[in-house]
Amino acid sequence: MNVLFVSSEVAPFAKVGGLGDVAAALPRYLAESGETVKVVVPMYAKVHAPGRTFTEVVPEIRIELGPHDVRVSIHTCKLPGTNVDVYFVRCAALFDRPGIYGGGGDEHLRFAVLSHASLALCQYLQFAPDVVHANDWQSALLPLLLKTRYAWDRLFAKTRTVLTIHNIGHQGTFDARVLPETGLGDGFGLVHQDELRAGRFGFLLTGILHANAITTVSPTYAREIQTPEHGVGLDPYLRQRRDVLFGILNGIDENEWNPEIDGRIPAHYSDADLDGKEACKEALMTSAGLPYRPHLPVVGIVSRLVWQKGFDLCMGVLPKLLEQRAFQLVTLGTGEPKYEDFFRALARKFPRQVAYLPAFSENAAHLIEAGSDLFLMPSRYEPCGLNQMYSLRYGTLPIVHKTGGLADTVWNVDFRSGRGTGFVFDHFDETGLAWALGRALDSWGTGDGAQRERWKHFQRNGMRLPLGWDHRVGEYRRLYQRLA
Ligand code: ADP
Ligand code: GLC
């Protein structure tokens, strides 16, 4: 099958969070299972890293969007380690900026251009996609564009569309006045009319109304977003379309995240031989500037520091717990100032227990996954979450709130049956988090003897889970086949 995969992030070229990882791994595994996949992403300033070379494929495409006459060129290179072509939409005025998102008041235009350029690229290459796979609001206009401005082209006669929702908290909702700038041709009648009358136009809503199938990144989140509590206003539309709404759990890319071969960590280990993990812990402590104390459990955090991720609970729980209990904490992440300030102050107050790295660093992220004993992810909501799965793979027991993909991937350890992979709290409140953290620290105990053996047992439970994309990619292929 021919698949056109469009995303605003693709690792390693452009990544803010998990979307970047998924938009690299899923195409890779689709290609390995025999599909022909072309990936399209904007050429942001940071795509140009040393050692990367790009070939120009299309010197100029003109896209008329209302008053704008946008000109883009298309450049390509392979997705590293694969034979998959990634196409970069170059338009200096729109994408050549330090950040990936925000910062210009023209987000609607930037991502409308991404969608148009993707379809124009297909025309140029005479690539007839069986499936156009859009991701999040940034490419959610594609299904409607195919029914309107591009409907004349026989190239797309058989094309079906899939929209994957990675995070319903971001909907691309703009003032209705931007509509002419989206280039929907005669499609204005097909956008949600009540919303227009209310003065709004939503990219994600438009995609939800027009995609042939909608997926989201875990079965639990697929149910949650159909409820008022988690639907962020889109739940009525998702309920209307529930016959074509599917929850497909993300996988992890075991070429990148696998302690047996990870090139970013100082020692390798596996479920059969966990010894190397201790060397990773020591290296983590050294690089974080904390004393290495093998018998203390280390809790790791790698995250965007934003409201979604639940760190408000940490602000209530961690300062007291650090006084009462012996453990260490390493946090990697940037985001909202109030969370950055909190972790900075915590590190100042507990200099031998807490380290905070306000950075985006792949190397540090891998070292934290490998060197920590526990991984903390108290998200308010979590469509899927990759870090808890990386943690499981690295023998690092996750502490999570029971929501979305966290609920689908982590189970409470049960000493009697020996089942379970982590520590899960049901209610998003400080009592819940304190309970789960307390239970995790109690289970670690002194970190040796019988407690250590028991710990290893639960580490192995997680490390042996089938979390890789090879276990997931079939679900997408079956969906594509059903649509075709
Ligand atoms: P989300 O997509 O909501 O941010 P996920 O758990 O799905 O959450 O994915 C987050 C991804 O971003 C992971 O690959 C994680 O390692 C990475 N990440 C987040 N913050 C950082 C950081 N500060 N440095 C390096 N990687 C980070
Ligand atoms: C989003 C979600 C996260 C998910 C990722 C990849 O950023 O917040 O839970 O894992 O997308 O699908």
Side-chain angles (χ1 to χ4, degrees), residues 120 161 214 221 259 294:
T161 52
I214 303 160
Y221 196 60

Side-chain angles (χ1 to χ4, degrees), residues 15 17-18 21 302-304 309 332-333 359-361 385-387 390:
K15 165 172 163 181
D21 290 357
V302 178
S303 186
R304 297 182 291 124
K309 300 295 177 178
L332 169 69
F360 192 95
S361 160
L386 297 173
N387 276 118
Y390 299 153

Side-chain angles (χ1 to χ4, degrees), residues 17-19 22 166-167 217 250 304 308-309 382-386:
L19 172 61
V22 171
H166 296 264
N167 192 337
V217 288
N250 285 332
R304 297 182 291 124
Q308 175 195 344
K309 300 295 177 178
E382 196 60 75
C384 177
L386 297 173

